[in-house]
Amino acid sequence: MSVMGLEYTRLLRSVTDWQQLSELMTGSQQELSAASIAGLPPSAQPAGALFLERWSGFAGESALIAQGFVDALSAAADDYRNSDDTVDQRYAQLDGRLGSER
């Protein structure tokens, strides 16, 4: 469907894509947080722990950013659809007759 040049299906597909990315990054955050450094030599464990902590944080931040896009795109799609519905209703109320025939 296309109204005013906007294609809802593409907009909604992008919402789905961003939602999947958010879920992927949330899963990555959880996996990185649960990862063990036990297999590393003791001298490398602090660096390994820092690595996992930072990348887990980056994944969490990325999940939040992606979810922000989901929310914003969903809100925009709702606004566009509501505006289109309002315009359609107003056009439907117009009376095409002129002058005294109204």
Side-chain angles (χ1 to χ4, degrees), residues 38-92:
L40 296 174
S43 62
Q45 286 183 357
L50 183 61
F51 174 88
L52 291 173
E53 177 186 335
R54 293 218 173 134
W55 278 101
S56 173
F58 295 146
E61 290 171 7
S62 296
L64 291 174
I65 290 168
Q67 188 58 49
F69 279 114
V70 168
D71 296 342
L73 289 169
S74 296
D78 290 344
D79 287 345
Y80 295 142
R81 185 167 287 128
N82 290 336
S83 295
D84 289 343
D85 289 346
T86 300
V87 169
D88 285 344
Q89 289 170 5
R90 289 187 179 166
Y91 276 127

Side-chain angles (χ1 to χ4, degrees), residues 20-34 59-60 63:
Q20 290 173 348
L21 181 59
S22 175
E23 292 167 3
L24 176 67
M25 296 311 294
T26 298
S28 296
Q29 177 189 21
Q30 293 168 350
E31 291 292 326
L32 289 166
S33 294

